[in-house]
Amino acid sequence: MQTTPQTPLHLTPGAILRSGRETITIVSAHVTPAGRPEVSYLADDKLWAFPRRSVERVLTGMGFAPAGHEDPVVLAERVLLAEANYRARVAA
């Protein structure tokens, strides 16, 4: 059985990844203070953060592929809004 190589995911800030109707935007790919690689991304205007290997495996398995790049200013505003919405939900 021969497999075809997959397009590598670009987990850089602002990268837009799409699979079918689902779209996510990478916010950051960094190393936590505990030394673990982590990726944070926006999905449905909610901010999520998971270990990098898990994110790569799941997104690749779900067929996510590069679909563009978001403007850094717009991305920063979306992150601030997502954080504010999270704080409002927690406070309610």
Side-chain angles (χ1 to χ4, degrees):
M1 171 189 258
Q2 190 173 8
T3 59
T4 56
Q6 298 212 355
T7 303
L9 293 178
H10 300 283
L11 300 179
T12 56
I16 299 170
L17 305 175
R18 184 170 294 131
S19 175
R21 295 182 305 176
E22 300 293 323
T23 301
I24 69 167
T25 304
I26 303 299
V27 173
S28 68
H30 58 277
V31 177
T32 67
R36 291 185 296 263
E38 183 177 85
V39 173
S40 59
Y41 61 88
L42 283 168
D44 296 326
D45 292 325
K46 291 184 177 81
L47 188 59
W48 299 89
F50 293 102
R52 184 179 179 113
R53 283 189 185 265
S54 297
V55 169
E56 289 173 337
R57 184 175 54 249
V58 169
L59 295 180
T60 300
M62 294 176 68
F64 277 85
H69 204 82
E70 188 161 354
D71 179 83
V73 174
V74 173
L75 179 58
E77 290 175 8
R78 289 183 60 213
V79 168
L80 289 174
L81 182 60
E83 290 172 339
N85 287 338
Y86 172 76
R87 285 191 299 276
R89 283 194 313 271
V90 170

